Amino acid sequence: MPQNQIFDLLLRNARLRGGQTLQDIAVRQGRIAAIGPALAGTAVVEEDAGGRLVLPGLVDTHIHLDKSCLLCRCRDASGGLKGAIAAVSRLKRDFTIEDVYERGARTLERAITQGTMHMRTHVELDPLVGLRSFEAMKRLKRDYAFAIDLSICVFPQEGMTHDPAVERLLTQALAEGADLLGGCPYTDADPSLHMERIFALAVAHDVDLDFHLDFDLDPSWSHLEEICRRTMAAGWQGRVAVGHATKLAAIDDAALGRVIALLADAGVGVTALPTTDLYLNGRDANHRAPRGVAPVHRLAEGGVAVSVATNNVLNPFTPFGDGSLMRMGNLYANLMHLGPESFGDCLDMISNGAARLMRITDYGIAVGGQADLIVLDADDEAEAFGGIAAPLMGFKRGRKSFVRPAATLLR
């Protein structure tokens, strides 16, 4: 490389996944211009990773910013999934744009400083809340664009076929900037009609789909096959994902093999949501409760696009959470008895694989790719994942977007 090369950023001494030699990463105009050891040239900003592991910005494919941080308003919510839906439903009519924005911003900032740089937030639309939560999400998307790409998925949490106003709200949101559409058939009085109308809207507006689906442990019925069938009929292969799909944790090996083949053929991705799925499933079994989390690593082996994501933070659905996808991936590995030989696959579920599910282009640490980078407080991939290493700094499109100084002992 000529000595007179000038870059916007030079990140020195980065350890990349699968590499032994430390690399420098050069960035120009928000994209990676060069990668190599001891790159020549100068930069407006130069940082030293100090031999630490550098990853592409993490990808959260499924979160609910609009109903995060509600614990102070409904600490007594109980009754599993139905109880959580009812608790939030009682609160929604009083949501304001400012309230949703403030709570969403708190959660978003936590996620950003934990290394997340791409996020799909699901937003409830219905006559109770109208478009207020959606308006707040649009503001968050604009105000935090310096640090994260926020994709807005509008969906009817409490069904849509019972009230024509729900479909009108979804249509209006799609016309006013929603990025994609979601569905929740299991809460609708007519699940099949629900799916039919959601697919029709998606095709009419040319948007991707992301369903809440099969969220229980009863293997006697499922909506997954119908989703796959409708996906292929619409020609929407690669553009449909489902979240939860916890029924997959309750079927036998032969049935799981058939489902994996069906999902792969239909190009339908699956997201596991460990904290919520653990917290809400299997309550009737008391201390014998099953894990209740979809085995998405098995799906990935069959060619299905998969991810592990956050879902809910500090609300009746999940009264936990700090926005850390590293912690979420680590929890998934614990649940599935996955050791160090599988840590790389689990990292993919919050990075490369998650980006594939969301159809993010130019993702990853490669020349020409978008310069979204995080530096972890670890110099080894297995230790970083196993130890839930904290990110020390992040660069969004080559610009430093957050810092988290390493803890220091004062002896």
Side-chain angles (χ1 to χ4, degrees):
M1 180 176 293
Q3 293 290 329
N4 62 352
Q5 286 278 3
I6 301 176
F7 303 104
D8 299 320
L9 169 69
L10 262 173
L11 181 60
R12 301 280 192 188
N13 301 310
R15 190 174 303 280
L16 304 183
R17 290 181 63 185
Q20 299 299 317
T21 305
L22 297 185
Q23 304 287 314
D24 294 345
I25 304 172
V27 177
R28 186 185 293 117
Q29 296 182 340
R31 295 192 173 273
I32 297 173
I35 301 173
L39 289 178
T42 59
V44 177
V45 176
E46 187 166 320
E47 296 277 357
D48 191 348
R52 296 181 181 91
L53 183 67
V54 175
L55 299 178
L58 304 181
V59 181
D60 198 332
T61 63
H62 189 127
I63 194 171
H64 294 263
L65 293 177
D66 57 333
K67 55 193 182 191
S68 66
C69 301
L70 285 172
L71 280 189
C72 59
R73 304 181 200 180
C74 47
R75 290 178 186 244
D76 58 347
S78 60
L81 176 61
K82 289 183 179 178
I85 291 174
V88 173
S89 184
R90 288 192 294 270
L91 297 171
K92 274 193 295 190
R93 66 175 68 253
D94 296 323
F95 283 3
T96 65
I97 295 174
E98 292 72 22
D99 162 53
V100 176
Y101 180 93
E102 188 276 331
R103 289 185 290 102
R106 264 189 284 162
T107 304
L108 197 56
E109 289 180 11
R110 285 178 182 144
I112 289 168
T113 57
Q114 296 281 12
T116 299
M117 292 189 176
H118 298 268
M119 177 182 284
R120 174 179 289 175
T121 181
H122 291 251
V123 184
E124 296 184 20
L125 294 189
D126 54 46
L128 284 175
V129 73
L131 294 172
R132 296 191 298 279
S133 294
F134 171 62
E135 291 297 330
M137 291 305 114
K138 289 198 293 183
R139 281 179 51 190
L140 288 170
K141 179 176 181 173
R142 180 186 67 242
D143 292 351
Y144 286 88
F146 72 93
I148 194 166
D149 292 324
L150 185 62
S151 176
I152 302 173
C153 177
V154 292
F155 84 110
Q157 169 76 76
E158 301 177 48
M160 67 181 290
T161 62
H162 65 292
D163 187 347
V166 179
E167 189 164 340
R168 288 196 294 269
L169 285 168
L170 293 171
T171 301
Q172 184 177 348
L174 289 169
E176 294 180 7
D179 298 290
L180 71 159
L181 185 62
C184 197
Y186 58 80
T187 63
D188 202 301
D190 191 337
S192 188
L193 182 59
H194 180 110
M195 289 181 268
E196 178 184 323
R197 289 184 176 177
I198 292 293
F199 267 95
L201 278 174
V203 171
H205 292 267
D206 192 21
V207 295
D208 292 359
L209 286 167
D210 196 337
F211 286 88
H212 292 65
L213 206 74
D214 287 1
F215 192 12
D216 62 52
L217 299 178
D218 179 2
S220 66
W221 63 272
S222 168
H223 293 137
L224 194 52
E225 183 176 345
E226 183 170 353
I227 287 290
C228 291
R229 187 171 68 249
R230 290 187 180 278
T231 297
M232 290 186 280
W236 241 237
Q237 293 94 325
R239 302 188 63 176
V240 178
V242 302
H244 299 295
T246 54
K247 289 179 184 290
L248 296 179
I251 60 178
D252 62 31
D253 288 349
L256 181 62
R258 291 192 294 271
V259 171
I260 291 171
L262 180 62
L263 289 165
D265 286 345
V268 172
V270 179
T271 297
L273 304 161
T275 50
T276 301
D277 297 345
L278 276 170
Y279 181 70
L280 292 178
N281 275 313
R283 287 169 167 252
D284 55 341
N286 297 315
H287 66 280
R288 299 178 303 280
R291 291 178 175 85
V293 176
V296 293
H297 64 289
R298 295 282 304 277
L299 277 57
E301 292 168 1
V304 179
V306 304
S307 65
V308 168
T310 300
N311 197 44
N312 282 289
V313 176
L314 301 176
N315 69 16
F317 294 85
T318 318
F320 320 103
D322 63 356
S324 170
L325 282 174
M326 290 290 286
R327 191 184 309 283
M328 202 64 65
N330 181 285
L331 172 61
Y332 179 85
N334 270 271
L335 287 168
M336 300 300 174
H337 307 296
L338 300 176
E341 72 283 353
S342 299
F343 284 0
D345 295 333
C346 292
L347 268 177
D348 284 340
M349 294 176 194
I350 57 174
S351 57
N352 299 291
R356 174 190 167 198
L357 186 145
M358 280 182 58
R359 300 206 300 146
I360 299 170
T361 57
D362 301 331
Y363 180 85
I365 301 178
V367 174
Q370 188 165 291
D372 293 347
L373 308 166
I374 59 172
V375 180
L376 296 180
D377 192 13
D379 58 10
D380 176 86
E381 179 179 324
E383 289 189 9
F385 184 81
I388 316 178
L392 300 180
M393 67 182 82
F395 302 86
K396 181 65 178 171
R397 291 181 287 274
R399 174 195 171 276
K400 186 181 280 189
S401 52
F402 73 88
V403 291
R404 287 171 55 105
T408 301
L409 286 176
L410 304 178
R411 295 189 182 279

